[in-house]
């Protein structure tokens, strides 16, 4: 039998990412199934572009086509099961598809914002992969245009619907951790030489590419930082100038946060973690990708006892929760969990942590 704490965690997770319950009739439910949402994808060049498989498997969506003007990238994609039997279109053809409601923007990072802006201009909801390009003014313009048109801009940070993170948000909402004074995060892996060369094109290195995922989590806990100090290093023997060993320290009036990201840590995925320390408790998630949590509390809270306890969670599949949430938002069943203001603060913080010059 599961422990009470595990039951609670499962309940929280289930409530957060129930898949498509609004999209089809359950047994004994006389209501007809809701129409599937027509969605397309622009680009296959992003590291997370294979998330299309989640949308193809979902009862909420009908994938109408994929755009990829780069011949080599398209050829590689055509050999992947993710893109088997998809319809290949030009961007103009996709945006003109009758009934199209949303687009996944999965290009290389440098092309994300131009394509997202074209989608919003066409009146479409967008999911933009991370990070949101290099131009803060352009991203701000996209968010403002989408808000004016009542369109969703969903960012592709992959831990937002992680069940441990969902439970952490519940603890914070209820005040069970007290006043947060410290956050630690680590987000690392080993990046192979060919990929290092591609990523070296972007200022900030691995912080920009990978650390952005946990920066999103830190902003979710503490909000906009007062200061951001970057400590970028190139530590590999490879002579590629890729910033592969990075640290950012975020300062707040009553808290600090450290964000560490490297591209040279063996089995780095196992040490990916988020630790939130408050005056009434500590919530430690590790690893992030196959989440488990250790929680320490100053006193009993709900089903959780005073002292330290371990919490287990169901297997986490990236982007399933994001896809389900997008469907509910598009259908008007709920509002967005992450505001344009949050996404703008995250992007500004990523750029500052990557030492980009900010322009108004």
């Amino acid at each position: 039998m599961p422990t009470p704490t595990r039951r609670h965690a499962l309940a929280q997770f289930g409530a957060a990412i129930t898949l498509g319950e609004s999209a089809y009739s359950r047994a004994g439910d006389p209501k007809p199934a809701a129409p599937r949402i027509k969605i397309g994808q622009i680009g296959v060049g992003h590291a997370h572009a294979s998330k299309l498989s989640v949308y193809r498997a979902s009862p909420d969506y009908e994938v109408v086509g994929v755009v990829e003007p780069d011949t080599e990238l398209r050829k590689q994609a055509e050999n992947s099961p993710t893109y088997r039997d998809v319809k290949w279109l030009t961007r103009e053809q996709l945006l003109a598809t009758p009934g199209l409601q949303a687009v996944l923007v999965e290009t290389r990072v440098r092309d994300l914002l131009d394509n997202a802006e074209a989608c919003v201009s066409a009146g479409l909801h967008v999911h933009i992969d991370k990070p949101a390009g290099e131009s803060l003014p352009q991203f701000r313009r996209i968010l403002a245009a989408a808000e004016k048109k009542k369109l969703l801009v969903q960012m592709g940070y992959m831990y937002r619907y992680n069940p441990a993170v969902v439970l952490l948000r519940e603890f914070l909402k209820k005040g069970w951790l007290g006043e947060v004074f410290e956050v630690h995060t680590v987000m690392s892996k080993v990046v192979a030489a060919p990929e290092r060369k591609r990523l070296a094109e972007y200022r900030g290195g691995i912080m920009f590419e990978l650390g952005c995922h946990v920066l999103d989590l830190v902003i979710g806990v503490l909000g906009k930082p007062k200061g951001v100090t970057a400590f970028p290093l190139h530590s590999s023997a490879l002579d590629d100038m890729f910033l592969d060993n990075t640290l950012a320290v975020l300062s707040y009036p009553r808290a600090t946060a450290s964000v560490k990201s490297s591209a040279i840590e063996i089995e780095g995925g196992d040490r990916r973690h988020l630790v939130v320390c408050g005056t009434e408790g500590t919530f430690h998630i590790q690893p992030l990708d196959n989440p488990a949590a250790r929680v320490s509390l100053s006193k009993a809270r709900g089903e959780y006892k005073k002292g330290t306890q371990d919490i287990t969670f169901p297997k986490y599949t990236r982007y399933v929760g994001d896809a389900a949430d997008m469907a509910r938002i598009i259908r008007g069943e709920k509002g967005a969990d992450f505001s344009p203001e949050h996404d703008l603060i995250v992007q500004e913080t990523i750029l500052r942590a990557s030492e980009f010059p900010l322009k108004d």
Side-chain angles (χ1 to χ4, degrees):
M1 294 290 290
T3 64
T5 54
R6 186 167 186 267
R7 279 203 304 271
H8 187 72
L10 290 168
Q12 295 292 345
F13 179 55
I17 65 163
T18 299
L19 277 178
E21 284 194 356
S22 62
Y24 54 90
S25 298
R26 291 169 287 180
D29 189 291
K31 294 187 293 185
R36 297 172 79 190
I37 295 166
K38 289 188 176 183
I39 193 168
Q41 179 167 306
I42 298 177
V44 301
H46 196 282
H48 295 161
S50 62
K51 70 178 62 161
L52 181 68
S53 60
V54 170
Y55 296 80
R56 297 190 75 181
S58 169
D60 286 320
Y61 294 96
E62 175 191 349
V63 176
V64 300
V66 178
V67 176
E68 182 46 71
D70 185 294
T71 304
E72 188 59 34
L73 285 176
R74 175 171 165 175
K75 184 178 178 180
Q76 292 172 15
E78 286 173 337
N79 293 323
S80 166
T82 298
Y83 300 97
R84 185 174 293 129
D85 300 324
V86 299
K87 188 175 183 179
W88 294 94
L89 304 169
T90 66
R91 193 176 81 174
E92 291 71 24
Q93 288 171 330
L94 176 64
L95 299 186
T97 299
L100 182 69
Q101 293 172 270
V103 176
L104 309 173
V105 183
E106 297 292 333
T107 65
R108 293 185 174 101
V109 171
R110 63 174 174 265
D111 300 319
L112 288 171
L113 294 185
D114 286 346
N115 282 286
E117 192 158 27
C119 293
V120 170
S121 295
L124 299 166
H125 304 283
V126 290
H127 171 99
I128 309 175
D129 222 314
K130 60 79 202 173
E134 299 171 285
S135 171
L136 192 62
Q138 185 178 13
F139 186 49
R140 184 184 290 114
R141 187 170 69 236
I142 291 168
L143 292 174
E147 193 168 18
K148 185 176 181 179
K149 294 185 176 186
K150 296 182 169 49
L151 296 171
L152 171 67
V153 174
Q154 183 188 65
M155 288 303 305
Y157 295 111
M158 64 191 185
Y159 296 128
R160 286 183 169 184
Y161 293 95
N162 176 308
V165 174
V166 171
L167 186 60
L168 169 61
R169 285 201 291 266
E170 189 69 16
F171 269 60
L172 293 169
K173 181 180 177 181
K174 292 179 176 177
W176 287 356
L177 299 183
E179 183 178 344
V180 175
F181 60 88
E182 192 172 302
V183 177
H184 300 289
T185 66
V186 173
M187 185 72 179
S188 297
K189 64 179 181 180
V190 174
V191 177
E195 182 71 359
R196 288 172 60 98
K197 184 177 180 180
R198 184 183 69 82
L199 295 178
E201 298 175 16
Y202 301 103
R203 188 168 184 149
I206 197 64
M207 178 63 70
F208 185 70
E209 164 68 12
L210 195 63
C212 59
H213 286 294
V214 286
L215 277 164
D216 177 62
L217 298 181
V218 173
I219 299 306
V221 174
L222 288 172
K224 184 173 183 175
K226 181 177 66 174
V228 179
T229 305
F231 300 89
L233 289 175
H234 170 82
S235 296
S236 170
L238 294 172
D239 187 21
D240 57 11
M241 304 304 292
F242 177 49
L243 296 173
D244 54 18
N245 185 15
T246 61
L247 168 68
V249 177
L250 282 57
S251 60
Y252 295 84
R254 299 175 66 88
T256 56
S258 64
V259 178
K260 182 75 178 68
S261 187
S262 78
I264 53 177
E265 183 177 346
I266 304 300
E267 299 295 337
D270 289 341
R271 208 169 66 85
R272 292 180 180 182
H273 67 254
L274 170 67
V275 186
V276 178
C277 302
T279 54
E280 299 295 330
T282 297
F283 200 112
H284 182 170
I285 304 170
Q286 187 175 350
L288 278 166
D289 292 280
N290 185 26
R294 173 161 288 189
V295 179
S296 301
L297 296 171
S298 63
K299 60 184 178 182
R301 301 282 192 176
E303 296 185 31
Y304 299 92
K305 67 181 182 181
K306 177 181 177 179
T308 299
Q309 54 240 276
D310 293 320
I311 305 173
T312 58
F313 299 90
K315 179 177 172 57
Y316 173 56
T317 301
R318 295 174 182 172
Y319 305 115
V320 171
D322 306 65
D325 200 57
M326 173 181 261
R328 294 181 64 199
I329 295 168
I330 290 174
R331 292 190 174 114
E333 297 170 5
K334 66 182 293 292
D337 294 327
F338 301 91
S339 68
E341 290 76 18
H342 170 88
D343 288 339
L344 195 61
I345 291 169
V346 170
Q347 185 61 15
E348 180 180 342
T349 305
I350 290 166
L351 295 176
R352 293 171 73 187
S354 301
E355 296 191 317
F356 275 87
L358 297 183
K359 300 175 183 178
D360 293 330

